Amino acid sequence: MPVKAIRPDYHGEHRDARANFGGAILVYIDWDFHRWFCTPKTFPLPPDMPFGALIEAVIPEGFGQHPQFSEIDWGSVEWTLDHEPFTPDMGRGIEEQGFGHKCILRFSTPGLTENI
Amino acid sequence: MARVQIAFQDNDESRYIVSAIEEDNPDSTIHYEPALIRIENEGSLQINKATVEAHMGREWDVQSIHVNLVTLTGNIDEDDDYFKLAWGGQ
Amino acid sequence: MQAKKLNVKDKYRLLTRDLDWEFSYEDRKEAFPYEEFEGIKITDWDKWEDPFRLTMDAYWKYQAEKEKKLYAIYDAFAQNNGHLNVSDARYVNALKVFLTAVSPAEFASSNGFAWAGRHYGGAGARVAAQMQSIDELRHYQTQIHAMSHYNKYFDGFEEFPHMHDRVWYMSVVKSFFDDCRSSGPFEYIVAVSFAFEYVLTNLLFVPFMSGAAYNGDMATVTFGFSAQSDEARHMTLGLEIIKFLLEQHEDNVPIVQEWIDKWLWRGYRILAVVAMMMDYMLPQKFMSWKEAWELYFEDAGGALFKDLERYGIKMPDFTETIKNEKDHISHQAWWVFYSHGHAAAFHTWTPTAEELDWLSEKYPDTFDQYYRPRLEAAAELEAKGERFYTAGLPQLCQTCQIPMFFTNVDEGKPTEIVYRESTYNDERFHFCSNECKHIFDREPEKYVHAWLPVHQIFQGNCGGGGLDEVMEYYRMGLGEMNLDYKGSPDEKRWKKWKGVA
């Protein structure tokens, strides 16, 4: 039973359906183990945005404030998309390579896992 | 056995209630914390109207316990002449 | 012949049961239309008994007495400029959290009890719910009156009703009461009277209010204890309703267990804010969150659940998780607000050296390893004039609406975020914990339309996309209510009053 209600036909509209974000999809991004940023962050992104643009514009905007950010070697970063290992293609759009609405992108930076 | 607990605002009236509790529940532990007095006892704790009145030197209605009460734990049994807290089946 | 004075038991019977009537020409089911849909079976409402046996005449008498005492203290507090006697102006920020987050919850609770009380078929429960509804309204009013004095001297109080429906962290409390008020009358009372009042409010009103006393805040400690004296009655009602429901029918047991699990969890999640208030916002330290948790939840709650075992009720499965989280959540919650200090209606700060030492002492297993280095790094940045405010917006849990800051302490990984998710009608939903996921999975239709503040900002429903526009929508005013305590108008005024440079 999807809800206990006085009316058997009770229904809740999906408030955060993809159609409500003006063409963008929501992508949640977290820099693993770097709790200087207390939570994963939410980004509304164009689904055809190339992954390379995500690294150049979106991630620095969300995570560039960390003192170690400039030390990240992007070639050795380990990515997961929806908690599965993921190898990004810099030139292709994010939706094309599996990003859906409300997906989770995590990156970890071995060697840079200090606790601040 | 589990502990029951009751706390009162730290004021003149409560002090008489607390001393009555001490008299009737000699094993209880009394903690004086900022602005409140917290009393713990194993299993149960009883407040008797007669003892409180003897300490206060005047009539005391058991229901007026609400005026200075801060918190409690345990099952309550209240009547005209006593107020009791206890854990376990009654 | 002179009438004999009634004893408490007789008076209780006459002023509850005897006020009820039989339905001779109307259908009783139509009069109480919400009594059955939750699946709760009531066989005999007469088994309901208020252990305090409080009747309306005694209720008014003692409530009036409490009010007279309370308002005499408010007067004295205001007449003697009591705000100047608090330990430090930083302390007042805890009151801002209280007024903006807790007080509207009191009002919602009043509303809920008025509604639930109307829908109980038994007169005893109706009278008890009616009293509680009036109590909650009283708490809302006395809290506003206490704060109105502070409002004359400090930023951050005046827009609390406007903010309640809009600001990201207030949505957490709002969603709790929206959720329980939109359930049935029995779930409502288990949620509020038992899970919240019986098991959890002691943590809010007792150690925090002792902390207020310790910090020289006579007005708050007085309203806190005055409210808590009502809470003692509410707690009793909470325990009574549980025992009543469990004794009425064995089919009620699994339903009540589900509700206990759900609402204890939802209430516990909200208390993360209280944890932070105790550990970080009381300049004079009294008791750590962890100590309060051990005393009022593990000890007192443990005794309670042991007592309920005879009905077949068990401690919720997540008890181990909350035990593991007690060393972490106050620090994590403070960091959420510190790093989002630009979007909060109160000031935040890094602890002083003495405060850091106190936290190290109280949290020997976690603080120095995980939290102190971060706070020290933040203080270093502040010293360089680069106070850290995190960019962007957090991910929120679909159920509790709290930013997803909870970490995997169960597996000994306190820097790894906990991720849980479900898919419903082809849409994905994210949660901070197993329990929030479980709550959603039981009733997804109820949570798919949650008003998540972050998503609302991105949908363009909160004044615009920029920080300034959202702050305007929240009515915070950049640099007044929000940002660091250092350099705030509050701090400037406080220093002027105290004559320090």
Side-chain angles (χ1 to χ4, degrees):
Chain A
M1 196 164 27
V3 71
K4 189 90 132 194
I6 188 90
R7 285 168 41 175
D9 60 344
Y10 179 89
H11 172 64
E13 291 298 320
H14 286 228
R15 198 181 289 274
D16 296 327
R18 177 171 173 169
N20 297 347
F21 290 88
I25 56 170
L26 293 184
V27 177
Y28 304 111
I29 305 180
D30 186 31
W31 183 0
D32 271 341
F33 319 122
H34 281 65
R35 296 281 67 87
W36 182 252
F37 306 108
C38 55
T39 67
K41 297 189 181 195
T42 310
F43 299 90
L45 302 177
D48 59 356
M49 174 186 250
F51 194 92
L54 194 110
I55 293 188
E56 269 166 39
V58 177
I59 289 180
E61 178 200 319
F63 302 93
Q65 293 166 301
H66 193 282
Q68 289 179 321
F69 186 80
S70 58
E71 297 167 38
I72 297 177
D73 169 14
W74 290 99
S76 67
V77 162
E78 291 167 9
W79 301 91
T80 65
L81 180 62
D82 298 325
H83 315 296
E84 297 292 332
F86 172 72
T87 309
D89 179 332
M90 297 298 156
R92 281 166 67 209
I94 53 173
E95 186 170 32
E96 234 184 297
Q97 46 190 317
F99 283 54
H101 181 49
K102 298 196 186 173
C103 62
I104 293 178
L105 178 70
R106 296 164 61 178
F107 63 102
S108 67
T109 49
L112 287 183
T113 48
E114 278 182 42
N115 251 326
I116 69 158
Chain B
M1 280 287 246
R3 271 178 297 176
V4 295
Q5 176 170 287
I6 192 164
F8 296 96
Q9 291 190 47
D10 188 354
N11 61 28
D12 267 346
E13 202 165 65
S14 299
R15 280 194 279 275
Y16 295 118
I17 301 172
V18 172
S19 54
I21 292 174
E22 255 184 306
E23 183 180 325
D24 290 337
N25 305 270
D27 295 332
S28 59
T29 315
I30 302 181
H31 305 269
Y32 290 87
E33 290 173 10
L36 71 83
I37 310 172
R38 191 164 58 82
I39 305 137
E40 294 178 314
N41 205 26
E42 284 299 319
S44 70
L45 185 141
Q46 183 153 336
I47 303 172
N48 295 308
K49 178 182 164 82
T51 321
V52 176
E53 288 183 343
H55 282 258
M56 274 186 189
R58 63 166 169 83
E59 261 193 68
W60 181 73
D61 186 333
V62 176
Q63 284 200 320
S64 72
I65 197 169
H66 288 288
V67 176
N68 299 304
L69 182 62
V70 173
T71 188
L72 48 79
T73 54
N75 294 304
I76 292 167
D77 176 20
E78 182 179 345
D79 211 330
D80 290 278
D81 50 5
Y82 69 90
F83 179 94
K84 190 179 173 189
L85 284 173
W87 285 125
Q90 291 165 318
Chain C
M1 191 177 93
Q2 201 182 344
K4 210 179 93 197
K5 189 173 180 286
L6 289 169
N7 69 28
V8 177
K9 280 179 178 161
D10 290 338
K11 198 168 82 171
Y12 178 72
R13 184 177 45 75
L14 288 168
L15 289 177
T16 55
R17 306 282 188 280
D18 271 19
L19 297 177
D20 209 3
W21 63 88
E22 293 298 319
F23 286 74
S24 55
Y25 57 90
E26 289 288 349
D27 181 358
R28 195 188 151 82
K29 279 193 176 172
E30 278 183 48
F32 300 105
Y34 296 97
E35 221 177 60
E36 288 175 8
F37 83 95
E38 298 173 89
I40 289 291
K41 294 177 181 154
I42 304 294
T43 52
D44 183 6
W45 271 112
D46 277 343
K47 291 280 192 297
W48 172 279
E49 189 90 11
D50 169 8
F52 279 129
R53 300 198 180 85
L54 197 62
T55 50
M56 268 296 167
D57 57 329
Y59 174 75
W60 291 125
K61 181 180 161 192
Y62 294 120
Q63 293 303 94
E65 210 169 306
K66 288 186 202 171
E67 291 283 270
K68 278 183 207 151
K69 289 177 69 172
L70 179 58
Y71 280 87
I73 291 168
Y74 284 180
D75 284 351
F77 186 76
Q79 287 157 8
N80 292 289
N81 284 322
H83 63 283
L84 295 177
N85 296 328
V86 298
S87 54
D88 182 48
R90 290 181 302 159
Y91 163 76
V92 177
N93 291 286
L95 301 182
K96 299 175 191 178
V97 178
F98 200 100
L99 183 73
T100 54
V102 178
S103 303
E106 304 270 18
F107 186 71
S109 171
S110 170
N111 176 311
F113 275 102
W115 176 81
R118 160 63 186 84
H119 289 290
Y120 296 130
R126 260 195 327 262
V127 169
Q130 181 189 11
M131 285 176 191
Q132 185 156 351
S133 178
I134 299 166
D135 289 340
E136 304 290 359
L137 191 61
R138 169 176 113 85
H139 300 174
Y140 182 60
Q141 291 172 334
T142 55
Q143 285 162 22
I144 291 169
H145 286 150
M147 302 300 175
S148 69
H149 180 76
Y150 287 100
N151 180 44
K152 293 175 190 163
Y153 301 97
F154 297 90
D155 293 324
F157 291 101
E158 69 269 29
E159 292 292 357
F160 75 93
H162 173 86
M163 290 179 172
H164 182 62
D165 293 343
R166 292 164 179 83
V167 176
W168 57 282
Y169 53 95
M170 294 175 207
S171 81
V172 172
V173 184
K174 182 177 191 294
S175 85
F176 178 99
F177 277 94
D178 285 354
D179 189 350
C180 60
R181 282 187 299 165
S182 57
S183 61
F186 293 112
E187 183 173 347
Y188 177 79
I189 202 163
V190 169
V192 179
S193 294
F194 182 75
F196 204 72
E197 305 265 16
Y198 199 95
V199 191
L200 301 170
T201 49
N202 270 334
L203 282 149
L204 176 63
F205 279 104
V206 187
F208 181 73
M209 293 304 163
S210 260
Y214 219 48
N215 283 273
D217 184 1
M218 194 165 70
T220 298
V221 67
T222 311
F223 87 64
F225 285 162
S226 191
Q228 187 61 31
S229 69
D230 297 345
E231 302 295 337
R233 178 155 34 76
H234 303 171
M235 292 166 69
T236 307
L237 175 68
L239 186 53
E240 193 55 28
I241 188 84
I242 287 285
K243 289 193 290 187
F244 172 74
L245 293 176
L246 297 171
E247 282 168 10
Q248 284 291 305
H249 203 288
E250 61 184 5
D251 290 355
N252 295 345
V253 176
I255 301 174
V256 169
Q257 178 79 57
E258 277 278 8
W259 290 341
I260 289 176
D261 293 355
K262 169 182 175 179
W263 291 103
L264 261 182
W265 181 258
R266 292 218 60 185
Y268 163 70
R269 272 298 188 235
I270 291 181
L271 290 187
V273 169
V274 182
M276 152 189 119
M277 285 158 76
M278 286 195 59
D279 282 347
Y280 285 84
M281 302 183 83
L282 298 178
Q284 288 287 335
K285 308 294 184 196
F286 157 64
M287 182 188 252
S288 71
W289 164 255
K290 183 181 174 182
E291 288 165 333
W293 182 259
E294 287 166 354
L295 178 63
Y296 288 103
F297 183 83
E298 291 179 6
D299 209 19
L304 166 71
F305 277 96
K306 209 166 157 36
D307 194 55
L308 292 175
E309 271 173 12
R310 63 197 149 116
Y311 297 105
I313 290 293
K314 61 181 186 56
M315 197 85 162
D317 293 336
F318 51 73
T319 312
E320 199 54 32
T321 298
I322 54 184
K323 196 172 178 176
N324 292 334
E325 285 184 352
K326 73 185 174 191
D327 273 310
H328 297 273
I329 55 163
S330 67
H331 316 299
Q332 293 173 334
W334 181 248
W335 186 249
V336 170
F337 282 101
Y338 178 85
S339 61
H340 289 88
H342 50 298
F346 59 92
H347 300 301
T348 47
W349 54 84
T350 46
T352 63
E354 298 78 54
E355 287 167 350
L356 288 172
D357 289 345
W358 182 83
L359 289 163
S360 293
E361 182 201 320
K362 294 293 180 183
Y363 294 94
D365 300 333
T366 53
F367 189 70
D368 285 354
Q369 191 177 353
Y370 299 109
Y371 303 107
R372 189 170 182 137
R374 194 188 297 160
L375 290 163
E376 286 173 342
E380 273 176 41
L381 282 175
E382 270 171 45
K384 286 196 280 178
E386 297 168 20
R387 205 286 196 187
F388 172 57
Y389 296 105
T390 196
L393 300 178
Q395 182 183 9
L396 307 180
C397 171
Q398 185 76 24
T399 302
C400 69
Q401 307 199 4
I402 296 176
M404 296 255 298
F405 71 78
F406 299 98
T407 57
N408 191 2
V409 291
D410 284 343
E411 292 174 31
K413 297 174 183 170
T415 59
E416 181 182 74
I417 297 295
V418 175
Y419 296 95
R420 296 290 181 272
E421 71 172 88
S422 295
T423 299
Y424 181 69
N425 290 341
D426 299 325
E427 189 181 332
R428 297 170 63 178
F429 296 92
H430 298 275
F431 312 100
C432 69
S433 54
N434 289 334
E435 288 65 38
C436 280
K437 172 180 156 59
H438 179 68
I439 291 166
F440 177 94
D441 289 344
R442 275 178 65 226
E443 296 188 284
E445 287 290 340
K446 197 168 185 180
Y447 300 95
V448 293
H449 55 132
W451 197 93
L452 295 183
V454 168
H455 294 173
Q456 287 302 307
I457 289 171
F458 287 135
Q459 287 181 28
N461 297 331
C462 300
L467 179 64
D468 288 1
E469 292 159 313
V470 175
M471 288 304 106
E472 199 171 310
Y473 171 77
Y474 287 170
R475 296 192 189 158
M476 277 182 200
L478 204 58
E480 291 166 23
M481 295 183 187
N482 60 357
L483 304 186
D484 202 281
Y485 173 69
K486 291 184 204 79
S488 66
D490 269 10
E491 185 197 40
K492 288 191 187 101
R493 284 187 293 261
W494 179 257
K495 285 187 165 168
K496 200 173 125 208
W497 299 330
K498 290 289 181 182
V500 288

